[in-house]
Amino acid sequence: MTYECIFLLIGLASAELPVDFGSFDSCPVHLLQVEAAARSKGKAGQPYFWPSARGAGHGASEFVAPFDLAASLNWSWENSLGRFASSPTGVVIDDKKNIYMTELSALRKFSHSGEELWSYGRQSRSVEMNNAACLLDGVAYLITSDGLVHAVSMESGKPLWVKAAGNGTDPTNSFVSAKAGRVIVGTDPNSKSNSHVAALNATNGDVLWKYQPDKTVWNFLATFPNDNSVVFQDLEGKAYNVNLTDGALNWKAGGIPNSWTDGSAQLGPNGVVYAVSHNGSQPLEGGTGTLSAYNATTGVLLWRKITPKPPNNVPAVGRLAGKRDLSVVQAVGQQDKQYEFLDVYAYDALTGEQQWVFNGPMLSTQLPAGDEAGYLTRMSVGLRVLTLPNGWSAPSIDGDGTVFIGNEEGWLFAIRDVDDDGLITGNEVSSFQTNASFVGTSAPAIADGMLVAATNGPMFVFKT
């Protein structure tokens, strides 16, 4: 182990010692991915394993999850009213490996062994919990479709406060994010999607500021370069950095006019924002896309990569198996389109050079897995009858550099390019058939020796 790695570990062990994570290029995979976890601590100082639906901010974890999915399934859960009577939108994990699953009708807490500890339900069938919740300082934060933000005690499942962020939130699957005493949500939908980004006081729910981007936000995700700023993108792929204290614009860059993407921007631990765009004006027309890398501090474009299919989800940024430097993992393909093949690409995070591709399955049916099968059940319990999910879940990267990702054909994959030949084949792939699909916010969640995958029906927990 190098001196740089030793210093990194000393810094992480002390809450007082600042650490420059970008300078430790010689450290192994999992050491560089502790950065996010070190900044997402519970009240006792112990980091939450997966505090938001994007982990600790980059879609990557220092912890190692089981690779052999078929052999490591430990338990699963489905609603007693029917396999598809719940429609999960995201999973987070606290420091005790308790699991918090957001679904359209409730936020549920489970122990790591599968006991349901509490459920916090919606107030009426007219609202949904379609945005994935997050954890901060002993509180789970979520927003309902009527625009109410709920602060729920992680211990008791009781509300601490409920406050309006705006006049509603759109029906897309977005992420609730929290940092430095602020809760960030998308709100005030117009005919298309959310027109504003709002910041609430995490302690009392007061609205502190609102920012209106040039275009609406879709599948909204906020991430934090530091305690003073927040980054996100709009539906045209334009990236924004605004002040976390007052919502003032720091910079905005990029975007493709009159386009639309189902994806979201992702901040990397290297201080780079990776935004996605669709190179077309219609959501279902297919075609190519663009993955753009911007300096998170200045907004300067670092590189741009054309993807062969639409990048209709948020990427993940971390160190992959066999790679020394950071990579960006981006799933591509037009979702909900029969006979469409979907793929996953890995790019060098510094240069945009392609590293490998995983050629995924084709959607063989008219609807994604679980949509037709769950139609009547969802209708009976007052949920949207079709989930029409992204083609892929968001990707997640573990401490060994394995990528975990769910597909609309029902497959959950674990993938890594062991032989470094640029293709994922043979024993470089592990898979598990869930017979359900994954909305974009429902990324596999990672804890030490544990992987949690929530579909548009059941939830599956894998352990080593």
Side-chain angles (χ1 to χ4, degrees):
M1 181 179 292
T2 65
Y3 287 112
E4 289 88 351
C5 292
I6 294 171
F7 183 79
L8 173 61
L9 291 175
I10 295 172
L12 291 172
S14 170
E16 306 299 322
L17 190 59
V19 179
D20 177 10
F21 292 95
S23 64
F24 295 96
D25 288 338
S26 61
C27 294
V29 171
H30 62 285
L31 292 187
L32 266 293
Q33 293 173 184
V34 298
E35 172 266 342
R39 296 175 179 170
S40 303
K41 297 179 183 296
K43 285 190 173 180
Q46 172 68 29
Y48 297 142
F49 283 105
W50 198 258
S52 80
R54 295 309 293 132
H58 315 303
S61 172
E62 64 174 300
F63 297 102
V64 177
F67 178 79
D68 189 343
L69 298 174
S72 58
L73 179 66
N74 190 265
W75 58 271
S76 62
W77 177 90
E78 62 183 56
N79 196 307
S80 60
L81 297 177
R83 179 176 175 83
F84 295 101
S86 292
S87 189
T89 55
V91 171
V92 291
I93 306 173
D94 70 16
D95 53 314
K96 298 179 177 62
K97 295 189 180 179
N98 294 313
I99 299 163
Y100 303 75
M101 182 189 74
T102 313
E103 56 163 288
L104 290 179
S105 60
L107 174 68
R108 300 177 188 271
K109 179 181 179 179
F110 300 86
S111 71
H112 67 87
S113 59
E115 178 187 2
E116 186 170 348
L117 301 175
W118 52 254
S119 175
Y120 180 77
R122 59 182 177 173
Q123 299 305 303
S124 75
R125 286 192 173 195
S126 65
V127 299
E128 292 182 330
M129 297 178 179
N130 53 296
N131 291 250
C134 70
L135 307 178
L136 179 69
D137 296 336
V139 182
Y141 295 97
L142 62 94
I143 186 170
T144 44
S145 56
D146 54 4
L148 295 178
V149 176
H150 303 245
V152 181
S153 166
M154 290 167 54
E155 181 64 29
S156 68
K158 304 298 183 183
L160 302 174
W161 54 258
V162 179
K163 295 287 186 69
N167 63 15
T169 188
D170 68 32
T172 66
N173 296 119
S174 298
F175 303 80
V176 178
S177 304
K179 175 81 170 181
R182 304 288 189 268
V183 181
I184 309 297
V185 296
T187 188
D188 300 331
N190 59 22
S191 60
K192 201 161 197 176
S193 54
N194 289 324
S195 62
H196 287 80
V197 174
L200 287 77
N201 184 306
T203 301
N204 58 28
D206 290 347
V207 176
L208 300 173
W209 53 260
K210 285 189 177 182
Y211 176 81
Q212 184 174 9
D214 296 340
K215 297 295 181 179
T216 58
V217 294
W218 185 284
N219 287 348
F220 174 72
L221 168 65
T223 52
F224 307 95
N226 49 52
D227 287 348
N228 302 311
S229 61
V230 56
V231 294
F232 56 89
Q233 73 163 67
D234 64 25
L235 57 75
E236 292 185 345
K238 181 181 290 184
Y240 299 79
N241 180 315
V242 303
N243 187 289
L244 189 56
T245 301
D246 59 12
L249 177 67
N250 293 322
W251 59 259
K252 57 184 177 180
I256 298 177
N258 302 313
S259 68
W260 169 94
T261 178
D262 218 11
S264 311
Q266 179 69 73
L267 176 72
N270 52 354
V272 177
V273 181
Y274 299 90
V276 296
S277 305
H278 179 203
N279 301 339
S281 60
Q282 298 300 318
L284 300 179
E285 70 180 12
T288 62
T290 301
L291 174 64
S292 302
Y294 301 96
N295 182 297
T297 302
T298 66
V300 171
L301 178 67
L302 303 176
W303 55 261
R304 181 172 286 151
K305 184 75 174 182
I306 300 300
T307 61
K309 298 174 184 178
N312 281 344
N313 212 324
V314 58
V317 186
R319 295 205 180 212
L320 299 181
K323 303 297 181 185
R324 170 188 168 124
D325 298 317
L326 291 171
S327 300
V328 182
V329 178
Q330 179 67 60
V332 302
Q334 184 58 56
Q335 67 264 33
D336 310 325
K337 185 177 180 181
Q338 192 172 15
Y339 308 129
E340 175 85 354
F341 284 95
L342 304 176
D343 307 311
V344 181
Y345 284 82
Y347 300 99
D348 185 291
L350 181 63
T351 65
E353 179 183 358
Q354 182 179 320
Q355 295 175 327
W356 54 250
V357 60
F358 171 60
N359 298 124
M362 172 192 74
L363 181 60
S364 60
T365 53
Q366 189 172 6
L367 292 171
D371 259 14
E372 183 176 2
Y375 187 97
L376 294 179
T377 301
R378 293 191 189 96
M379 180 183 292
S380 70
V381 296
L383 301 179
R384 62 178 75 178
V385 293
L386 295 176
T387 63
L388 297 177
N390 300 61
W392 297 97
S393 75
S396 301
I397 305 169
D398 81 348
D400 271 351
T402 299
V403 176
F404 297 91
I405 191 167
N407 179 269
E408 65 183 353
E409 271 282 283
W411 291 103
L412 176 66
F413 293 105
I415 53 181
R416 54 192 182 198
D417 187 16
V418 177
D419 59 11
D420 198 29
D421 68 348
L423 294 173
I424 308 294
T425 57
N427 62 6
E428 296 175 321
V429 184
S430 170
S431 61
F432 179 85
Q433 178 57 259
T434 69
N435 295 307
S437 49
F438 304 78
V439 300
T441 49
S442 195
I446 297 169
D448 189 12
M450 186 168 79
L451 183 79
V452 183
T455 68
N456 61 359
M459 178 174 69
F460 299 87
V461 178
F462 305 84
K463 293 183 180 181
T464 53

